[in-house]
Amino acid sequence: SGVEACSPGSPTGTDNDCDGIDDDCDGSVDESYVPITCGLGVCRANSSCMGGVESCIPGSPSGISETICNGADDDCDGAVDENWVAWTCGSGGCVTNATCVAGVEQCIPGSGGADTDCDLVDDDCDTVADDDYIPYTCGTGDCIASSVCIQGSASCTPPAGSPDTDCDGVDDDCDTVPDDNFVPTGSCGTGACLRQNQCVSGAIQCTPGSPTGTDNDCDNIDDDCDAAIDEHYAPYYCGTGACRRASTCTAGFEACNPGSPTGDDSDCDNVDDDCDGLTDEHWTTYNCGVGACQRSATCVAGVASCTPGSPTGTDNDCDNIDDDCDGAIDESYAPYTCGQGVCLRNSTCVGGVTSCTPGSPTGTDNTCNGINEDCDTLTDEHWVATTCGIGPCLRTATCVSGSVSCTPGTPVAETCNSVDDDCDGTVDDGTPTELCGTCSHGTASCSSGTCSITACDAGYHDLDLNYANCCECAEDAYETTDDTCASAVNLGTRLDSSGGYIDVTGNIVPTGDVDWYRIIADDDADTTGDEFDFEVYFTNNPGGLVFDVYRGSCSDASPCLAEATCYNWYTDFYNGSAGEYPCRSPLAGGYNFCGDSESTYYIRVRRTTGSTTCSNYTLRIANNNATQGPGCTHYSACSSPTVVTANTTTASTLTGMANSFTSSCGGSTGPDKVFSLTLSTASDLFIAAFSTAFNPVLYLGSTCGASALGCNDNAYAGVNSSVLMKDNLAAGTYYIIVDSATASGGDFALEIYANANKASGDTCGQPIRLQNGLTGTTCSYTNDSPNPTCQGGTCTAADGVFYFIVESARTITTSTCNSDFDHLAAYRSVCTATTSEVCNDDYCGYSGYSPSVSASFSTGVYFFWLDGYCSSCGSYSISTSGL
């Protein structure tokens, strides 16, 4: 862009090389050059650098022979004083070579030593060699001599000995071995056992050898040392059969010559007569025995033999063979037969061939004679049977083996059946008791084979017209006094304040009978709301019975008729704005009470058309009984709810309750019951309904009978019990309905817990359902009382609350071993109480501070508490088994 610029480069080095370049950019070239060296020894020189060119010229040698010890490489060959010749100093054993070290010559004589050897050296440096020589000895025994040293050479020559041929233990020839040239002069043993005398430790000994064999070979040696040679010689053989010969032994030599054949081998003598290796091979066999027993002779081991075979039969067949080997053929032939009965004939055997021809019939076979006259395989089959006996004893004669027989049947006792059981010719000829048996509480007769009841004893009746139980129905105790309303049994008075009930038991006998009862239901003085509640119902109805109720008189214009379940007359009022309260006003000194429900009731028990039952009934009559009768709708559920409070468990029942409500969760046909709960402040609410008798359904509403705030059927999969939880429910009165999912009811428990609003799991009013694998943290939770009993101190920490439901007895184990903070755990049956608590601390896990708790549970709703120790909080991991 019209601007000229120049930027210097960077130095490339320290300029210590010889390259003609200013490497460090200081204006000088190679000013820091470092020279190299060349040459060796005195010839060594440094290099020079001129104009970027490096050169080095070595110097000249100062000497050539290198024989002077001066520490210099005079000839420049890299070696120092290498041709210097060493000289010696000292004498004798003290002579030492001089040394040349770093150009300095030096020689120090040796110190010398003892001169006792023979080496022509003056070892002790006294100018005389070997002057202190110590001789050694040589030879043995009488031949021992001392050595001598001559001109540095030591020698020793022992004197000569005598021959060492005797046995005296002396080394006569001085060779260190006594008697080594011993010459034996005798021997012992014979044959292979012959041995020479021996010299042992200067004494002559002789031990014969051991035999080498049994002398059965041919070696001309007495092997068994018995002075006889080869006397047990075992010969071998040559030739075969009659030519076989044994070998001979003569003076240690064996010989064997075969003999000559003795015949053509046609006899049976077990000898190979023709010496061909085969025995009796030309022998000719012969036969023995006759018929099936005929056999050929055999020649075995030189013995000829022939054994006839065994008979193959008794010769009773027709095969043209002498089976029994007696020389005759088929002489015992056993013929078969052909034809039946009188036509039966035997077969014949001719030349091994059989034949058979049946005979001719002789009659029609209609007589009982045991003979088959018509030859048709049956005997006497056309015989006509006769009879004997009468009535049930009538029997048919039989023909067995040509003999006729007939035995009449056995008579039995006469019964009413139009049969001559005793076979006397007359039907049903006996007394009524004999024919029909005993008739309980009545009299019977027999007509046309049928027993019937002709009369019943006084107080007994036959309702079912069944002869088997005769007059089965006995009249009850009221029978003579309660057949009309005017003569009704008086049961007295029942006050509604006394509650309870009375039971009456009776029997509707005879047909057309009725039982009447009279009772006064008294409405006593009420100081709050009227509680009158009169009811009548069967606790036992054998079937086919109903009751009628007349109120006030026997001529009640509007009676309750044909009731089979429950009759009730009630006035139940809940508060001052309904029911009887408007007719009550303050008066001086008291109140004006209404008694509009008090009355006399007439109750009639009777049969329905066609009923024949004879069993007793039980009728229960109550006035304000605590337990409602089945089928009785005697409470206005919403007018009289059961009041409950939070943090309690209420035991109750649906037995006797009516089906008043239905919700979307179920319970359309089951009985139900209403409870009211008042919350003074906004609260988290936990409600659980548990039963082993039925499947409970829960609904919650701010008005009675509604389920707008929630409903539940089954708290979770696998349980029939129900749970409702509401978060931060406003203060006020609420209605809880416990319903049955089916038409049945029974006992149940209602658990309710309420707490100030907190996070889920931080309170009994909002517990988390306990299950395997739960994770979370307690660090956002607060402390709730009471603390678990195994806390071991008064300090507090955040705790988590869980619930679970047990519907059958079992053992459950919960551990938090994988949690990361110090805590403890407990099972509770009451969430807010430590009663019967199962608690554990410090069992496993993080630093040994995590718990595991296990317990056996009966049925019910339970809670699991996880509490930090003192101020500890952290993440939890829950493992649960057994749920």
Side-chain angles (χ1 to χ4, degrees):
S1 299
V3 177
E4 193 172 30
C6 182
S7 298
S10 299
T12 60
T14 58
D15 219 11
N16 61 353
D17 53 0
C18 181
D19 57 0
I21 299 173
D22 182 10
D23 300 306
D24 53 4
C25 306
D26 62 353
S28 299
V29 177
D30 301 337
E31 76 277 7
S32 300
Y33 170 68
V34 178
I36 61 174
T37 62
C38 60
L40 298 172
V42 297
C43 301
R44 184 179 179 86
N46 289 330
S47 65
S48 62
C49 175
M50 293 185 65
V53 177
E54 190 175 32
S55 64
C56 186
I57 300 174
S60 299
S62 60
I64 298 176
S65 62
E66 199 76 79
T67 59
I68 300 173
C69 177
N70 57 8
D73 181 11
D74 301 312
D75 55 3
C76 305
D77 64 354
V80 177
D81 303 337
E82 71 270 18
N83 295 322
W84 177 77
V85 178
W87 44 274
T88 62
C89 61
S91 64
C94 300
V95 173
T96 303
N97 288 326
T99 60
C100 174
V101 179
V104 177
E105 287 181 290
Q106 185 178 24
C107 186
I108 300 173
S111 59
D115 200 11
T116 58
D117 54 359
C118 180
D119 56 1
L120 200 59
V121 176
D122 180 15
D123 298 305
D124 54 2
C125 307
D126 62 353
T127 71
V128 180
D130 304 332
D131 55 332
D132 296 320
Y133 171 71
I134 300 175
Y136 60 88
T137 61
C138 61
T140 61
D142 295 337
C143 301
I144 293 176
S146 294
S147 65
V148 294
C149 177
I150 300 174
Q151 292 296 311
S153 176
S155 63
C156 184
T157 303
S162 60
D164 201 9
T165 59
D166 55 357
C167 180
D168 57 1
V170 177
D171 182 18
D172 299 311
D173 54 4
C174 304
D175 62 357
T176 73
V177 180
D179 304 333
D180 54 329
N181 295 318
F182 170 71
V183 177
T185 58
S187 63
C188 60
T190 61
C193 300
L194 180 68
R195 295 294 184 269
Q196 297 293 322
N197 290 345
Q198 292 181 333
C199 178
V200 179
S201 299
I204 296 176
Q205 297 179 358
C206 186
T207 302
S210 298
T212 59
T214 59
D215 220 12
N216 61 352
D217 54 1
C218 182
D219 58 359
N220 205 31
I221 297 173
D222 179 12
D223 301 301
D224 54 2
C225 308
D226 63 352
I229 297 174
D230 300 337
E231 76 277 11
H232 300 300
Y233 170 69
Y236 63 88
Y237 290 88
C238 58
T240 61
C243 301
R244 190 169 185 263
R245 296 292 184 270
S247 64
T248 59
C249 174
T250 303
F253 292 98
E254 288 179 295
C256 187
N257 298 306
S260 299
T262 59
D264 60 1
D265 224 8
S266 60
D267 53 359
C268 179
D269 59 358
N270 201 30
V271 176
D272 179 14
D273 301 306
D274 54 3
C275 306
D276 62 355
L278 300 176
T279 302
D280 302 336
E281 73 273 15
H282 300 299
W283 179 74
T284 302
T285 188
Y286 57 89
N287 293 328
C288 62
V290 296
C293 300
Q294 188 178 66
R295 297 292 185 272
S296 294
T298 61
C299 174
V300 178
V303 176
S305 63
C306 187
T307 303
S310 299
T312 59
T314 59
D315 222 10
N316 60 354
D317 54 0
C318 182
D319 58 359
N320 206 31
I321 296 173
D322 180 12
D323 301 302
D324 55 2
C325 310
D326 62 354
I329 297 175
D330 299 336
E331 77 279 6
S332 301
Y333 169 68
Y336 61 88
T337 61
C338 59
Q340 300 287 337
V342 297
C343 302
L344 185 69
R345 295 293 185 270
N346 289 329
S347 64
T348 60
C349 173
V350 178
V353 178
T354 61
S355 62
C356 187
T357 302
S360 300
T362 60
T364 60
D365 219 13
N366 60 356
T367 60
C368 179
N369 56 8
I371 299 173
N372 181 8
E373 297 157 320
D374 56 1
C375 308
D376 62 354
T377 75
L378 299 176
T379 301
D380 302 338
E381 75 273 14
H382 299 300
W383 174 74
V384 178
T386 57
T387 61
C388 60
I390 60 174
C393 300
L394 182 69
R395 299 293 185 271
T396 300
T398 61
C399 174
V400 179
S401 301
S403 176
V404 177
S405 64
C406 186
T407 303
T410 302
V412 296
E414 234 2 74
T415 60
C416 183
N417 56 6
S418 295
V419 176
D420 181 17
D421 300 302
D422 57 2
C423 307
D424 63 356
T426 304
V427 174
D428 297 341
D429 55 339
T431 66
T433 301
E434 291 173 338
L435 296 176
C436 299
T438 301
C439 179
S440 177
H441 304 296
T443 303
S445 65
C446 175
S447 177
S448 300
T450 302
C451 291
S452 60
I453 302 169
T454 56
C456 288
D457 297 343
Y460 291 90
H461 303 271
D462 176 23
L463 296 187
D464 59 6
L465 303 179
N466 180 7
Y467 176 77
N469 55 17
C470 202
C471 300
E472 79 281 4
C473 284
E475 297 174 357
D476 58 30
Y478 307 124
E479 192 53 46
T480 59
T481 59
D482 64 349
D483 286 348
T484 65
C485 182
S487 61
V489 176
N490 187 1
L491 301 179
T493 299
R494 300 294 298 179
L495 284 174
D496 59 357
S497 61
S498 64
Y501 58 86
I502 60 172
D503 287 342
V504 291
T505 300
N507 196 354
I508 304 304
V509 178
T511 302
D513 179 39
V514 295
D515 287 348
W516 281 90
Y517 302 97
R518 175 180 178 273
I519 188 169
I520 297 174
D522 190 0
D523 181 17
D524 62 353
D526 300 305
T527 59
T528 55
D530 194 6
E531 56 188 11
F532 181 86
D533 196 338
F534 176 75
E535 62 185 21
V536 181
Y537 56 89
F538 283 116
T539 60
N540 176 38
N541 186 343
L545 302 186
V546 295
F547 62 86
D548 307 322
V549 180
Y550 293 80
R551 186 171 183 268
S553 68
C554 293
S555 58
D556 179 14
S558 301
C560 179
L561 302 178
E563 181 62 61
T565 55
C566 178
Y567 167 88
N568 55 325
W569 184 279
Y570 55 90
T571 54
D572 297 303
F573 304 104
Y574 177 62
N575 55 39
S577 63
E580 111 182 312
Y581 284 98
C583 70
R584 183 176 63 184
S585 60
L587 296 175
Y591 290 88
N592 177 27
F593 298 110
C594 297
D596 61 337
S597 295
E598 178 176 306
S599 186
T600 300
Y601 295 87
Y602 296 88
I603 305 165
R604 177 175 60 188
V605 184
R606 59 185 174 86
R607 293 182 183 276
T608 58
T609 301
S611 171
T612 61
T613 181
C614 184
S615 300
N616 288 339
Y617 66 84
T618 299
L619 194 68
R620 180 163 291 179
I621 305 170
N623 191 3
N624 198 31
N625 183 33
T627 302
Q628 301 166 359
C632 296
T633 57
H634 45 89
Y635 284 108
S636 174
C638 286
S639 298
S640 303
T642 300
V643 178
V644 290
T645 58
N647 304 322
T648 60
T649 299
T650 300
S652 189
T653 184
L654 290 187
T655 300
M657 296 294 150
N659 177 31
S660 303
F661 308 104
T662 300
S663 80
S664 59
C665 292
S668 60
T669 62
D672 41 50
K673 189 167 185 177
V674 180
F675 300 84
S676 67
L677 170 70
T678 299
L679 300 176
S680 58
T681 61
S683 303
D684 292 339
L685 182 64
F686 174 86
I687 307 170
F690 176 84
S691 176
T692 58
F694 66 99
N695 182 11
V697 181
L698 276 174
Y699 10 129
L700 177 68
S702 55
T703 59
C704 184
S707 59
L709 297 178
C711 65
N712 178 257
D713 177 18
N714 302 344
Y716 49 87
V719 300
N720 287 327
S721 302
S722 298
V723 167
L724 273 175
M725 282 190 285
K726 296 301 294 182
D727 181 36
N728 200 25
L729 194 63
T733 298
Y734 298 89
Y735 295 88
I736 303 166
I737 298 176
V738 179
D739 203 345
S740 174
T742 63
S744 63
D747 296 338
F748 66 94
L750 182 68
E751 292 200 42
I752 302 173
Y753 295 94
N755 295 87
N757 181 240
K758 295 181 181 180
S760 177
D762 192 21
T763 173
C764 288
Q766 200 74 187
I768 298 172
R769 178 167 75 90
L770 181 66
Q771 52 188 314
N772 186 40
L774 284 178
T775 58
T777 179
T778 64
C779 290
S780 60
Y781 292 171
T782 57
N783 174 256
D784 287 309
S785 296
N787 290 321
T789 55
C790 58
Q791 172 83 343
T794 58
C795 53
T796 60
D799 37 43
V801 183
F802 307 80
Y803 79 94
F804 58 100
I805 297 175
V806 178
E807 292 199 330
S808 61
R810 65 191 64 188
T811 297
I812 299 174
T813 300
T814 303
S815 67
T816 56
C817 294
N818 292 323
S819 303
D820 64 0
F821 67 106
D822 190 2
H823 58 283
L824 54 153
Y827 288 135
R828 292 180 180 175
S829 58
V830 178
C831 186
T832 55
T834 59
T835 306
S836 302
E837 180 184 73
V838 178
C839 188
N840 179 260
D841 185 20
D842 298 353
Y843 180 82
C844 60
Y846 179 74
S847 298
Y849 296 138
S850 296
S852 178
V853 60
S854 182
S856 296
F857 292 87
S858 57
T859 56
V861 180
Y862 295 90
F863 298 85
F864 173 72
W865 275 58
L866 190 155
D867 195 2
Y869 183 78
C870 284
S871 60
S872 296
C873 72
S875 297
Y876 59 79
S877 177
I878 298 177
S879 298
T880 297
S881 62
L883 278 179

